[in-house]
Amino acid sequence: MPRHVVITGASSGMGAALAKLYGIPGTRLSLFARDSDRLETVAAGCRSNGCDVEVHAADVTDAAAMERLLLACDSLVPVDLVIANAGIGGAAVLAGKAAETGDLARRIISVNTLGVINTVAPLLPRLVGRGAGQIAIVSSLLAFFGVPACPAYSASKAATWIYGDALRRLLAPHGVRVTIVYPGFVDTPMSQSLGFRGLLVWSADRAALHIANGLARGRREMLFPWPLALVVRGIRGLPTALADLLLTQLHLAWVKSNARSRRGLEGR
């Protein structure tokens, strides 16, 4: 078990579930999120279990603040594990017929891509210098192809995938392990905003346990839930024209289904 764990996006969803999982006696947690009230609630639960916790109400898009805070955390107790989990998704990142606005696209890239870099990059020299440590980068199953409903979101997660992929190969000779996590639908506020339920949706606690077990085994990648991961890999293997047709038709069907649902709600 790592002694000092940094988790971003720790105020809800998978981040909060990971904090609860790692929040045991003998472990120090450094939790980052924008919502200070929810973050304090998560931290209080961990402290009640005997865990040493510090919280930082910080925005991962603020590179200077993240670097200052992360280096201060590491100076107090050397960081063993960094989980770059913060991100935006769900209904907030859906595109219209003409794709996302420029402001929204830039916001998505800033949080989901630059936020990961701002979380990981400040600590890399110290991890490499110690010849130890582990980094977990949370990407998405939607990183593997461009989803019509959310082009910028797909792009932001694809960028973190490639960034982590390269870091893993760069840092391995120096004793630093990198794992990329590709969740599908997890029962968090983001997924709930899209209305997804059912067998292909994991609870946040289940996802956190799967991630922690995979990190303990040193896995390079984790894709889940596995049925959805198989579908994604299958689409990746299709010829481009066929993948375009399939994804476009699925998107149109999804748009029509949402329109019918809205009409049904308005008619009540």
Side-chain angles (χ1 to χ4, degrees):
M1 181 67 76
R3 293 176 304 159
H4 188 180
V5 182
V6 169
I7 304 173
T8 62
S11 62
S12 65
M14 286 199 310
L18 284 163
K20 181 173 68 174
L21 200 61
Y22 283 108
I24 60 175
T27 299
R28 179 179 179 83
L29 292 181
S30 293
L31 306 180
F32 289 72
R34 290 183 301 163
D35 190 318
S36 58
D37 291 337
R38 289 192 301 175
L39 191 59
E40 281 292 351
T41 299
V42 173
C46 296
R47 291 188 185 109
S48 68
N49 290 331
C51 179
D52 184 16
V53 186
E54 63 175 352
V55 298
H56 301 282
D59 189 331
V60 293
T61 66
D62 188 337
M66 288 297 293
E67 180 170 9
R68 174 176 53 81
L69 292 169
L70 287 165
L71 293 181
C73 290
D74 187 74
S75 294
L76 287 173
V77 178
V79 173
D80 301 299
L81 171 61
V82 182
I83 303 178
N85 168 72
I88 56 174
V93 303
L94 293 180
K97 292 181 180 178
E100 303 91 346
T101 64
D103 285 345
L104 177 56
R106 284 186 287 272
R107 175 64 180 163
I108 293 167
I109 297 295
S110 181
V111 175
N112 290 357
T113 304
L114 297 181
V116 167
I117 294 171
N118 293 342
T119 301
V120 171
L123 292 173
L124 291 181
R126 296 192 179 189
L127 296 177
V128 169
R130 293 194 288 265
Q134 190 170 19
I135 298 165
I137 292 175
V138 178
S139 180
S140 168
L141 286 177
L142 300 189
F144 291 105
F145 47 74
V147 179
C150 49
Y153 178 83
S154 292
S156 72
K157 292 299 186 177
T160 59
W161 157 32
I162 297 301
Y163 178 66
D165 215 32
L167 281 183
R168 186 177 64 250
R169 295 163 186 149
L170 174 67
L171 300 178
H174 305 290
V176 181
R177 296 178 294 170
V178 177
T179 299
I180 311 170
V181 181
Y182 305 93
F185 298 119
V186 178
D187 190 16
T188 66
M190 283 194 296
S191 289
Q192 290 165 9
S193 70
L194 295 171
F196 288 117
R197 298 289 188 276
L199 296 176
L200 295 182
V201 179
W202 280 17
S203 70
D205 288 341
R206 181 180 181 184
L209 182 60
H210 184 72
I211 292 168
N213 287 339
L215 292 176
R217 294 197 298 269
R219 290 185 57 182
R220 293 173 171 83
E221 294 184 327
M222 281 178 270
L223 292 77
F224 61 88
W226 68 264
L228 193 56
L230 286 178
V231 171
V232 168
R233 289 191 180 277
I235 294 174
R236 282 277 294 172
L238 293 175
T240 301
L242 187 55
D244 284 354
L245 178 62
L246 175 61
L247 290 171
T248 300
Q249 292 304 312
L250 286 173
H251 174 64
L252 292 174
W254 179 70
V255 169
K256 289 179 181 178
S257 175
N258 278 353
R260 286 195 298 270
S261 296
R262 285 195 297 271
R263 287 196 297 269
L265 289 172
E266 290 168 358
R268 289 182 181 178

